[in-house]
């Protein structure tokens, strides 16, 4: 019997401060997806800056992001606005999340038994 994991990966880091953390989070999401696991990626806090950066086709992480686009649940709308990247994320068609007090909620992930 094969166990399928349900995993939520939340990216809080700004890629300009620590690209390795963002790369490893996305790389882990890709590895789990390739293994057949159910993966959800959320960008929150300074992670919205990362999302805005890797949406750009010139970013070296852009190809990895595009492979994971189906797993991206969205970005915190409040944080994206606060960090000045709301328009970039919105124009890229990424869902903006504001379910809990105007912030992204992880409850939908937990309610689906996805490990946060």
């Amino acid at each position: 019997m094969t166990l399928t994991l349900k995993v939520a990966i939340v990216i809080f880091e700004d890629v300009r401060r620590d690209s390795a953390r963002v790369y490893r989070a996305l790389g882990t999401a890709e590895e789990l997806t390739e293994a057949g696991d159910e993966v959800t990626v959320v960008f929150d806090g300074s992670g919205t800056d990362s999302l805005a950066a890797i949406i750009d086709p010139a970013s070296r992480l852009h190809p990895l992001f595009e492979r994971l686009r189906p797993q991206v649940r969205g970005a915190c709308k409040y944080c994206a606005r606060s960090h000045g990247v709301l328009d970039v994320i919105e124009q890229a068609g990424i869902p903006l999340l504001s379910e809990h007090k105007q912030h992204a909620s992880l409850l939908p992930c937990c309610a689906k038994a996805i490990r946060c």
Side-chain angles (χ1 to χ4, degrees), residues 9-87:
I9 295 177
V10 183
I11 298 175
F12 292 104
E13 189 68 53
D14 183 342
V15 72
R16 294 171 297 185
R17 280 189 292 235
D18 193 342
S19 62
R21 284 187 182 184
V22 176
Y23 170 74
R24 287 305 304 139
L26 294 173
T28 299
E30 182 177 49
E31 178 182 8
L32 292 168
T33 299
E34 288 173 350
D37 295 318
E38 184 179 331
V39 178
T40 300
V41 179
V42 175
F43 293 84
D44 203 350
S46 294
T48 59
D49 290 317
S50 292
L51 178 57
I54 65 177
I55 285 170
D56 183 349
S59 167
R60 62 191 170 111
L61 294 179
H62 182 75
L64 178 56
F65 166 75
E66 285 300 331
R67 291 193 302 274
L68 290 168
R69 190 183 274 262
Q71 284 72 39
V72 174
R73 182 169 169 265
C76 176
K77 184 175 184 176
Y78 185 93
C79 294
R81 183 182 299 117
S82 173
H83 287 257
V85 295
L86 181 70
D87 290 342

Side-chain angles (χ1 to χ4, degrees), residues 55 65 69 87-94:
I55 285 170
F65 166 75
R69 190 183 274 262
D87 290 342
V88 172
I89 293 170
E90 198 168 40
Q91 289 171 5
I94 305 298

